[in-house]
Amino acid sequence: MLHLYAITYILDVMARIFGFKTKEEPKGLDLADDYSDNGGLEEICGLSNLYSPEQDSAVHIRDIADVLLDMGKINQGHLSEIRRLQEQTNRDVLKIITEKGFAKEPDVSIARANLYNLEFREIEPDKIDKEAFGKLDPEYIKNNRIIPIGFKEEKLVVATSHPGDLFVIEDVKRQTNMDVETVVCIDEAIDQICKTLCEDKADYNLDDIISDMTDVEIMQDVDDISEDLEKMAGQSPIIKFVNYLISNAVREGVSDIHIEPKEKSMKTRYRIDGVLFETMQSPLKMHPAIVSRIKIMANLDISERRLPQDGKIKVSVGGRAIDLRVSTLPTNHGEKVVIRVLDSKSILRGLEQLGMEKDIEEIFHEQVQMPHGIMLVTGPTGSGKSTTLYSALAQMDGNKLNISTVEDPVEYELEFCNQVQANEKIGLDFAAALRSLLRQDPDVIMIGEIRDNETARIAVQAALTGHLVLSTLHTNDAPSSITRLVDIGIDSYLIAASLNAVLAQRLVRKICPKCKEIYQVSEHIKKYVEKAGITQDQLFHGVGCDQCRGSGYVGRAGIYELLIVNELFRDMINKDSSINNMRHAFYESGSRSMYEDGLIKVKQGFTTIEEVLRVTQVYGTTENEDFAENYSSK
């Protein structure tokens, strides 16, 4: 109470000094007696009237909901619901609008532009000034949702999906040292343009790069030139050339890059869909610096040019993380380099995308769901065995199962399993890793390859003790896998008890859909067509176009043969596991061979008869021709 008296007294003095006139206080004020000795009730009343602010009323600030209402994109009922949710949840009005679906793009962005009195603009990759785009780092653009799109007089024009973020706009001015004009765009357009233009950044003019390197001279008579090579490997044309090779390979779907020194030039070839294509020939003087640049990227010894070396590189191409496996090999004209391109997007596929016919896909899916036993995938190098195994693992529940792999090397990193890198230099070979994995309470084990007796023996023991084992083997067909295990040193009765199934596969190139047409096969091939019962209207091939690089093929699919080890097979394995006996049992079981599976894809118009014969090697020897004739007429 004393504090109140003091405050009112001070205010009264101020009123007297500045000449304010007080009003009479209404009767009945309880404080009159307490303040009678300080000038009476009238003075208090005067002060209360002197300082009597009005009660604040809620001020509504125009927002995007009001703009959408004015545009006719939402109605009054929508607006009332938005205000109710806004009051109840205290959430951002824009989130309420988008989550409830009251309005969609581009109306939301147009309304946002109107709210800030800015222009809305639809932006497309081919309308973006690349010089302007280069003013900001792509990662900065993605993180801050603002993208330079061009120039207007002395200003940099930027498009943003967050026009209210003034701090970012000011930061762009600071980074570019330019005045900025802002327009509004939809959010998705920023990501699409970044993806397109980041890829286009790698489109170097190869002729300009090579011409820039004409001054590079190699002192061939000097034994140790590692310092010179390291310096040249850091020169801009060298870096551009290597970046071009890698980024172009990723866009073209290349699996391997071959850099080969010849007597007078350096040849560069890409392996696409299993076939090598020569992409360019470059001056031989470029070769040592190119190889050194790749070695530096792979953390290899650039001074060692007499021994093979292996390494890995991690790169980002168009926002995609790509792993590169590098191998160098000394040749008579210099070091040959092969770069394996490992793209996780190309390896993780569903079983339905591998090219399996429906019946084989269903049986294979059942086999990888078995609680124990061995499932083998067999075929030569580059036949897609790893893709099939990874796809099989992806069908499993990684949250409920302990899935572990032993690989050499680990080419693709998988989130749903534990991967072990074999390293024979330190004693961690397949067998040692498997022994350790069996103490890790595994449910499913994938072995990169069964190469020797010890690995095979541990795999069999794991299968017999309640684990599902998936692995690869190098054999020509499914029946010969059993004989191969016997040759490794596994007893027939153990194979019969542990082996569930064997899937053999090859990859055939698919006909290019752009230049696909009916054609007449040659006389040499006609006998296979007639025996298979393929009619003329079922025979297609690709003429060759820009899309398929003149080859007539784009992409690949698998052809398969699946051997299920049933009771009949188990008896046959125990009695006689020779190749001829296993093949005879396989044919008698009624299963399709890879050749016959390929003929189905020829009839469906997916591939050509020549392609099936190429990968199955049915023609070329009398024995194989007899096999094709006997089996296809079965």
Side-chain angles (χ1 to χ4, degrees):
M1 188 64 69
L2 291 175
H3 292 295
L4 179 60
Y5 295 155
I7 294 170
T8 53
Y9 176 75
I10 293 170
L11 291 174
D12 182 57
V13 172
M14 293 175 63
R16 293 174 184 270
I17 294 172
F18 291 98
F20 291 115
K21 185 177 179 181
T22 62
K23 296 181 180 179
E24 290 185 0
E25 176 68 300
K27 295 180 179 180
L29 187 62
D30 294 334
L31 297 178
D33 295 337
D34 295 327
Y35 195 59
S36 59
D37 58 336
N38 283 323
L41 185 60
E42 293 81 3
E43 296 178 2
I44 299 177
C45 294
L47 290 171
S48 65
N49 283 277
L50 170 67
Y51 187 70
S52 57
E54 294 183 1
Q55 188 70 25
D56 288 341
S57 59
V59 179
H60 174 67
I61 300 175
R62 182 176 169 84
D63 60 18
I64 193 170
D66 298 307
V67 180
L68 287 168
L69 181 66
D70 294 343
M71 292 169 57
K73 300 303 180 182
I74 63 174
N75 56 38
Q76 192 63 48
H78 293 152
L79 182 63
S80 300
E81 178 67 10
I82 292 168
R83 297 302 180 212
R84 185 185 67 80
L85 293 172
Q86 188 181 12
E87 183 178 351
Q88 288 181 353
T89 62
N90 198 28
R91 296 174 63 201
D92 181 69
V93 64
L94 181 59
K95 288 185 178 179
I96 295 173
I97 292 171
T98 54
E99 289 179 5
K100 293 296 182 180
F102 292 129
K104 297 181 179 179
E105 294 290 6
D107 295 334
V108 171
S109 293
I110 294 173
R112 190 182 284 174
N114 291 340
L115 181 64
Y116 290 95
N117 198 26
L118 296 172
E119 175 192 351
F120 171 78
R121 190 176 298 182
E122 292 184 357
I123 57 175
E124 298 176 0
D126 57 349
K127 297 179 181 179
I128 302 301
D129 188 312
K130 293 185 179 181
E131 182 183 351
F133 178 78
K135 290 288 185 180
L136 292 178
D137 184 77
E139 287 302 316
Y140 181 89
I141 293 172
K142 293 176 186 176
N143 293 335
N144 294 280
R145 317 312 299 167
I146 188 166
I147 180 170
I149 60 173
F151 299 99
K152 185 176 181 180
E153 297 176 352
E154 299 298 323
K155 293 182 179 180
L156 177 68
V157 182
V158 297
T160 178
S161 58
H162 296 166
D165 198 341
L166 300 179
F167 292 104
V168 171
I169 296 173
E170 289 299 320
D171 189 47
V172 171
K173 292 180 182 179
R174 181 189 59 80
Q175 287 195 46
T176 60
N177 197 27
M178 295 182 68
D179 290 333
V180 169
E181 180 176 313
T182 307
V183 299
V184 179
C185 66
I186 63 173
D187 197 63
E188 291 78 3
I190 295 177
D191 290 324
Q192 181 60 40
I193 289 172
C194 282
K195 180 180 178 181
T196 303
L197 294 189
C198 285
E199 290 181 354
D200 290 345
K201 272 188 169 184
D203 291 336
Y204 306 111
N205 187 322
L206 205 56
D207 293 334
D208 291 344
I209 294 173
I210 293 175
S211 64
D212 286 343
M213 299 175 64
T214 54
D215 293 334
V216 177
E217 296 291 341
I218 304 299
M219 299 174 61
Q220 300 291 349
D221 296 332
V222 181
D223 292 334
D224 189 3
I225 57 172
S226 59
E227 290 185 4
D228 292 335
L229 288 177
E230 186 170 2
K231 181 179 179 181
M232 285 186 293
Q235 292 177 351
S236 181
I238 303 288
I239 295 173
K240 287 182 179 180
F241 184 86
V242 174
N243 290 350
Y244 168 80
L245 286 182
I246 295 171
S247 60
N248 190 52
V250 172
R251 290 200 305 274
E252 293 283 338
V254 173
S255 62
D256 298 271
I257 305 171
H258 291 245
I259 301 172
E260 304 167 337
K262 300 302 179 182
E263 183 178 0
K264 297 181 180 179
S265 64
M266 181 185 78
K267 181 187 293 186
T268 303
R269 296 192 291 172
Y270 286 160
R271 185 177 295 278
I272 304 174
D273 296 335
V275 178
L276 282 169
F277 293 88
E278 183 173 334
T279 59
M280 70 188 80
Q281 288 197 13
S282 312
L284 186 61
K285 64 175 65 176
M286 295 172 55
H287 177 260
I290 295 296
V291 173
S292 295
R293 171 60 184 169
I294 295 171
K295 283 184 175 181
I296 290 171
M297 294 172 68
N299 199 27
L300 300 178
D301 184 0
I302 66 170
S303 64
E304 180 55 75
R305 299 180 296 279
R306 300 168 298 174
L307 296 174
Q309 297 186 67
D310 297 300
K312 292 187 72 174
I313 306 171
K314 286 185 178 291
V315 298
S316 177
V317 179
R320 291 160 56 189
I322 306 293
D323 288 332
L324 307 174
R325 199 172 72 195
V326 178
S327 174
T328 68
L329 180 71
T331 68
N332 58 332
H333 294 297
E335 289 180 280
K336 176 185 175 181
V337 179
V338 176
I339 303 174
R340 170 68 56 89
V341 181
L342 305 172
D343 185 359
S344 59
K345 285 189 176 181
S346 65
I347 196 75
L348 290 177
R349 302 180 181 180
L351 293 178
E352 68 280 356
Q353 297 176 296
L354 299 180
M356 291 183 182
E357 296 301 315
K358 200 64 180 177
D359 55 343
I360 293 182
E361 179 187 331
E362 291 174 355
I363 298 172
F364 181 74
H365 186 269
E366 292 174 0
Q367 289 297 317
V368 298
Q369 299 298 324
M370 297 288 284
H372 53 78
I374 298 177
M375 172 76 203
L376 292 177
V377 178
T378 183
T381 301
S383 59
K385 300 186 297 296
S386 296
T387 301
T388 300
L389 285 179
Y390 285 142
S391 299
L393 293 178
Q395 305 297 310
M396 304 176 185
D397 189 345
N399 294 322
K400 295 182 179 179
L401 297 174
N402 179 11
I403 305 173
S404 300
T405 73
V406 184
E407 304 170 68
D408 183 22
V410 174
E411 294 185 346
Y412 302 93
E413 295 184 3
L414 308 176
E415 292 291 333
F416 49 81
C417 62
N418 307 293
Q419 296 173 275
V420 178
Q421 168 74 58
N423 188 345
E424 294 186 2
K425 293 180 180 179
I426 61 173
L428 185 64
D429 55 11
F430 278 106
L434 277 175
R435 282 193 293 268
S436 298
L437 276 184
L438 291 174
R439 294 191 287 270
Q440 291 279 317
D441 185 30
D443 296 300
V444 180
I445 299 173
M446 190 197 91
I447 307 170
E449 181 185 350
I450 293 180
R451 302 175 178 175
D452 51 48
N453 173 268
E454 190 174 9
T455 303
R457 181 173 51 81
I458 297 173
V460 169
Q461 291 174 352
L464 293 176
T465 53
H467 304 90
L468 179 63
V469 179
L470 307 180
S471 186
T472 68
L473 204 63
H474 284 100
T475 58
N476 290 327
D477 55 15
S480 59
S481 299
I482 297 169
T483 308
R484 172 64 177 154
L485 290 175
V486 173
D487 293 340
I488 288 177
I490 305 301
D491 293 328
S492 296
Y493 74 92
L494 291 176
I495 299 172
S498 60
L499 187 62
N500 291 342
V502 181
L503 180 76
Q505 68 178 71
R506 298 288 189 279
L507 293 177
V508 293
R509 293 179 292 172
K510 295 188 292 185
I511 300 172
C512 174
K514 189 175 180 180
C515 58
K516 180 179 178 180
E517 67 176 24
I518 294 177
Y519 79 117
Q520 291 281 348
V521 297
S522 64
E523 290 297 325
H524 178 64
I525 304 296
K526 189 173 291 185
K527 61 179 180 179
Y528 297 103
V529 174
E530 293 172 351
K531 290 172 185 175
I534 301 173
T535 60
Q536 179 60 45
D537 60 350
Q538 294 175 319
L539 289 171
F540 294 88
H541 79 155
V543 180
C545 61
D546 293 339
Q547 183 175 328
C548 60
R549 297 165 297 276
S551 67
Y553 299 97
V554 172
R556 288 188 292 178
I559 58 174
Y560 304 89
E561 63 182 30
L562 182 59
L563 185 158
I564 303 298
V565 183
N566 53 25
E567 292 304 318
L568 174 63
F569 258 105
R570 297 187 199 282
D571 291 340
M572 295 287 288
I573 292 171
N574 283 320
K575 292 177 182 177
D576 182 5
S577 57
S578 64
I579 291 180
N580 289 335
N581 197 37
M582 290 298 99
R583 284 177 177 165
H584 178 74
F586 179 72
Y587 303 152
E588 291 297 320
S589 69
S591 301
R592 282 199 307 270
S593 71
M594 283 183 288
Y595 173 68
E596 198 169 39
D597 193 53
L599 294 180
I600 292 175
K601 290 177 172 57
V602 173
K603 293 178 181 179
Q604 294 170 342
F606 287 147
T607 190
T608 62
I609 182 68
E610 292 89 348
E611 185 68 7
V612 173
L613 292 171
R614 179 182 71 85
V615 299
T616 57
Q617 298 179 351
V618 170
Y619 69 97
T621 65
T622 304
E623 178 185 355
N624 285 333
E625 288 184 0
D626 292 341
F627 158 71
E629 179 178 356
N630 294 334
Y631 193 74
S632 61
S633 62
K634 186 179 59 172

